[in-house]
């Protein structure tokens, strides 16, 4: 009852004040009929509070989001299933599902007098032009009487996740190159001496089947070696994304960082669909969950896009190079770069030597903020050319598929010249 009285609406407080005032005034002027009117007006919100306070609401909510992984600009469907598990009917219910502002306005529903066992399905759509991971919910329920004198708030604590991935562009197939290696293995190890069968072995790793140990090669090299001829062959690719603050211009969805993330997502998706085992590396190192694996393209793309959905700007000007200290993995390397300075030259050289084939898509970041003076810290194309990279430039109005084809032409030209 006390909670119900605390939930008096403005209308309920007006009724209560008007009733008390009418009773006092009627007593002063000696008008007995007005006292009855005042008692009726005063009793109405009190009776509503008593009715609301004694009601027992047992509402069950099930929320499903389909699909839970969508690209920016695409809609996802949210389905709500509400059930009244109480034995008594409810009053008027005002429901509101909480949403992050980027997903749109909060949906609101009004339900009147639902009885025991009542069930209702409600569906609405959400859409975001901003990538990220969002939580849909919780839902708040406001219980009110038919006159709108009392209003109590309730809330469901359950939420449902929604991941909005970057926008991607379908890229054409180009002869970009890349080394073919056994799935999960390094590139074939070269030996100073040995026969042709040495090419089919690699160093032993924890978890390898001891029955696959190649003892002759192990004795020759001085460490355990295992056969690799039974492993499936698969090409590897690394997509490097420079997400440092000093490398990008602009803010929000119109920034060069968002263009870089979308570019990296398009490249990663394209390479995965072509059969590459793709991993994502950012300025802070290799992203967890995107390591090389032998999963199919349909399964491979989800962790890549989820990782790119939550990539944030890195405020540190330094690049993590720990992953470059690993034994040479080789394969294809596609770098999506912002503003590269002369100080990054050493890193770019290590990056190129780490891969069998390397190429870069360099964003003309100053074009994303034309009102600002050029950074003057060095041009990306010059820094890349000095380290032997083959690269193409991407501007705000350029079509990524056209730039990608240009990168393929550079690859063909380099192969012809070599």
């Amino acid at each position: 009852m006390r909670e119900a009285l605390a939930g008096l609406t403005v209308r309920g407080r007006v009724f209560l004040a008007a009733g008390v005032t009418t009773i006092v005034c009627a007593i002063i002027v000696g008008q007995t009929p007005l006292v009855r009117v005042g008692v009726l007006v005063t009793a109405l919100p009190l009776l509503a509070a008593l009715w609301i306070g004694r009601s027992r609401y047992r509402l069950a909510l099930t929320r499903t989001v389909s699909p839970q992984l969508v690209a920016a600009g695409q809609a996802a469907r949210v389905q709500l299933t509400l059930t009244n598990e109480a034995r008594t009917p409810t009053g008027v219910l005002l429901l509101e599902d909480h949403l992050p502002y980027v997903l749109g306005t909060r949906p609101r529903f009004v339900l009147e007098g639902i009885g025991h066992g009542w069930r209702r399905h409600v569906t609405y759509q959400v859409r975001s032009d901003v990538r990220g991971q969002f939580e849909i919910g919780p839902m708040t329920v406001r219980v009110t009487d038919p006159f709108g004198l009392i209003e109590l708030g309730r809330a469901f604590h359950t939420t449902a996740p929604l991941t909005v991935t970057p926008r991607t562009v379908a890229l054409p197939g180009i002869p970009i190159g890349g080394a073919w290696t056994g799935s999960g293995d390094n590139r074939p190890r070269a030996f100073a001496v040995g026969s042709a069968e040495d090419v089919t072995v690699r160093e032993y790793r924890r978890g390898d089947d001891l029955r696959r140990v190649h003892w002759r090669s192990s004795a020759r090299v001085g460490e355990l070696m295992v056969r690799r001829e039974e492993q499936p062959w698969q090409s590897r690719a690394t997509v490097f994304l420079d997400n440092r603050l000093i490398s990008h211009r602009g803010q929000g969805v119109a920034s060069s960082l968002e263009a870089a993330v979308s570019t990296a997502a398009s490249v990663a998706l394209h390479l995965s669909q072509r059969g590459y085992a793709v991993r994502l590396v950012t300025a802070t190192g290799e992203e967890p969950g995107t390591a090389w694996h032998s999963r199919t393209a349909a399964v491979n793309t989800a962790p890549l896009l989820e990782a790119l959905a939550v990539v944030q700007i890195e405020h540190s000007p330094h690049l993590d190079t720990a992953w470059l200290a690993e034994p040479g993995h080789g394969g294809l390397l596609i770098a999506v770069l912002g503003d590269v300075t002369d100080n990054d030259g050493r890193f770019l050289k290590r990056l190129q030597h780490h891969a069998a084939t390397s190429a870069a898509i360099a964003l003309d970041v100053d074009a994303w903020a034309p009102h600002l003076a050029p950074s003057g810290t060095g041009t990306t194309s010059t820094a890349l050319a000095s380290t032997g990279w083959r690269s193409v430039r991407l501007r705000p109005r350029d079509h990524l598929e056209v730039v990608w084809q240009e990168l393929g032409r550079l690859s063909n030209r380099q192969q012809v010249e070599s």
Side-chain angles (χ1 to χ4, degrees), residues 160-230:
L162 174 66
T163 301
V164 180
T165 63
R167 298 177 185 269
T168 58
V169 177
L171 301 179
I174 60 174
I176 198 64
W180 287 81
T181 61
S183 175
D185 292 334
N186 296 333
R187 284 178 294 179
R189 179 172 177 172
F191 299 102
V193 292
S195 61
E197 62 181 347
D198 290 328
V199 182
T200 65
V201 298
R202 62 162 173 81
E203 63 271 18
Y204 173 83
R205 292 179 183 176
R206 180 180 297 179
D208 286 335
D209 191 349
L210 292 177
R211 291 174 297 181
R212 295 177 53 204
V213 172
H214 193 271
W215 298 107
R216 183 179 302 176
S217 298
S218 300
R220 183 182 302 117
V221 180
E223 59 178 302
L224 284 179
M225 307 297 294
V226 295
R227 291 186 301 272
R228 54 182 297 174
E229 68 272 15
E230 295 178 358

Side-chain angles (χ1 to χ4, degrees), residues 72 101-102 128-132 166-167 245 248-262 309 311-313 315 363 365 368-369 371:
Y101 72 96
V102 296
S128 172
D129 293 323
V130 181
R131 62 182 176 85
R167 298 177 185 269
L245 178 63
H248 292 281
R249 307 290 182 269
Q251 295 180 348
V253 295
S255 66
S256 62
L257 173 65
E258 292 304 313
V261 172
S262 179
V311 166
Q312 300 296 326
I313 198 76
H315 294 275
L363 277 69
V365 295
W368 266 266
H371 59 285

Side-chain angles (χ1 to χ4, degrees), residues 342-386:
D342 294 335
N343 296 330
D344 297 324
R346 184 177 178 183
F347 172 79
L348 290 174
K349 289 181 180 179
R350 291 189 61 187
L351 203 60
Q352 186 184 35
H353 293 159
H354 189 73
T357 306
S358 57
I361 300 176
L363 277 69
D364 186 4
V365 295
D366 289 330
W368 266 266
H371 59 285
L372 298 177
S375 59
T377 57
T379 60
T380 302
S381 57
T382 302
L384 290 171
S386 63

